[in-house]
Amino acid sequence: YYKKEWQNFNDNIGWPEFKDKNKLNVLIIGNSHAYDTFNSFYLNKNLFSEYEFSIVNVHLACFYHFLVKDPLPLYCKQDFNNKDKNLANKIFEESELIIFSTRWRDEDLIILEKLITKLKTMERDLLIFNNSLEVNVKIRRGFHILDFFVFRNNRLPDDNELIKIEKKMFEQLKNREAVNKKLIKVASNNNVKILFKEEYLCKLNIKRCRVLTDKNRKISWDYGHYTLDGAEYLGKIIYNNNW
């Protein structure tokens, strides 16, 4: 039941090329979490009609080495092949606004300032998104808090139970505090705007974070990646909140 009905992997449509010259070309760069951001906008492209979205799905550190034409480190080999490099270069050359949306690793944080400096010299506008809301993987073994409830009870939570789960998810925000501090410092030092995903993932005023869409579909299919249902739902919140 879980695999057939709930698990909804990112819709990997490749790295689409920009085609509409009348729209602002927005390039999203990052690892698998970049697809969550891409899907949130792409599945609501009728709402974000002034923009065209594409993605280069690679680790930021790897993109930096690619951009400055360094030999790619071994851990970057799986991110690029020769065809990918040509496509990535074409998409990048046509991009106007670049969004960093990734699960931030030490390698990415180390090169972030260098990457920002390089992109600014290439006259690109930049935005930084922080980490997505994640369940503590070590404790939950990659599963979501909602998953455990459903496995144990063979049903979705009622309203009161859902509130408790959403409050537990809010507590998971603390898992990102250290990375947030580093991102805020780099963004401030380099005059780059940073946006915080908890502003659409959570209801901060009541200290709860969303786990189900308005149609009772899962928002996350694992510890933190969005389902397609979840991405579409969150994209509408992003639009309605003018995030």
Side-chain angles (χ1 to χ4, degrees):
Y1 173 82
Y2 174 79
K3 289 184 178 179
K4 290 182 180 179
E5 302 297 333
W6 278 30
Q7 200 169 25
N8 203 355
F9 289 92
N10 292 325
D11 185 17
N12 191 339
I13 64 169
W15 301 352
E17 297 182 34
F18 296 117
K19 296 179 180 179
D20 193 333
K21 296 182 179 179
N22 296 316
K23 296 185 179 183
L24 182 72
N25 293 341
V26 181
L27 174 59
I28 300 163
I29 304 174
N31 53 31
S32 59
H33 290 249
Y35 261 114
D36 294 339
T37 298
F38 173 79
N39 288 334
S40 297
F41 291 120
Y42 184 80
L43 295 173
N44 292 286
K45 55 188 174 182
N46 60 313
L47 298 178
F48 300 97
S49 57
E50 298 176 10
Y51 309 94
E52 188 168 14
F53 298 94
S54 188
I55 180 172
V56 172
N57 174 218
V58 298
H59 293 90
L60 288 182
C62 298
F63 186 79
Y64 171 75
H65 292 300
F66 160 77
L67 197 61
V68 299
K69 304 188 186 310
D70 282 345
L72 291 178
L74 186 61
Y75 68 84
C76 294
K77 297 294 185 181
Q78 63 183 1
D79 281 2
F80 287 105
N81 58 41
N82 289 333
K83 181 179 179 181
D84 291 336
K85 287 180 182 178
N86 293 335
L87 181 57
N89 188 64
K90 183 177 188 301
I91 295 170
F92 171 73
E93 289 296 328
E94 296 173 355
S95 67
E96 297 167 90
L97 170 63
I98 292 179
I99 296 174
F100 300 147
S101 183
T102 195
R103 188 171 191 264
W104 291 91
R105 308 185 312 168
D106 289 341
E107 294 89 344
D108 303 322
L109 293 167
I110 289 170
I111 59 86
L112 181 56
E113 289 200 73
K114 292 181 179 180
L115 178 56
I116 289 172
T117 299
K118 178 65 176 178
L119 290 172
K120 282 190 171 184
T121 64
M122 304 177 84
E123 300 183 339
R124 295 302 192 279
D125 291 326
L126 303 173
L127 277 176
I128 295 174
F129 289 3
N130 70 334
N131 276 346
S132 194
L133 178 60
E134 299 178 0
V135 177
N136 190 311
V137 176
K138 292 181 180 179
I139 296 175
R140 297 286 173 174
R141 300 181 184 178
F143 289 100
H144 198 277
I145 292 173
L146 179 63
D147 296 337
F148 281 94
F149 179 92
V150 173
F151 287 151
R152 289 167 181 161
N153 298 279
N154 199 30
R155 62 175 175 83
L156 289 174
D158 62 28
D159 289 345
N160 289 328
E161 291 163 337
L162 181 60
I163 289 173
K164 291 180 180 179
I165 292 171
E166 289 181 339
K167 287 183 175 179
K168 288 182 180 179
M169 284 303 299
F170 183 84
E171 294 173 2
Q172 301 297 307
L173 289 175
K174 63 188 177 187
N175 298 336
R176 307 173 312 153
E177 290 177 353
V179 171
N180 278 351
K181 287 180 180 178
K182 293 178 182 178
L183 291 176
I184 291 169
K185 182 178 180 180
V186 172
S188 177
N189 289 343
N190 293 274
N191 196 28
V192 175
K193 187 168 185 177
I194 180 171
L195 295 179
F196 299 92
K197 295 180 180 179
E198 54 264 35
E199 292 175 356
Y200 66 81
L201 287 164
C202 303
K203 294 168 274 190
L204 298 174
N205 58 325
I206 56 176
K207 297 183 178 181
R208 288 159 51 184
C209 295
R210 297 175 172 91
V211 296
L212 290 172
T213 72
D214 54 349
K215 297 179 181 177
N216 277 345
R217 303 297 293 176
K218 282 183 64 176
I219 288 177
S220 298
W221 60 262
D222 63 353
Y223 68 93
H225 294 94
Y226 308 160
T227 64
L228 296 184
D229 292 322
E232 184 175 5
Y233 171 69
L234 294 172
K236 287 180 172 62
I237 295 175
I238 289 171
Y239 176 79
N240 290 330
N241 291 354
N242 198 27
W243 185 70

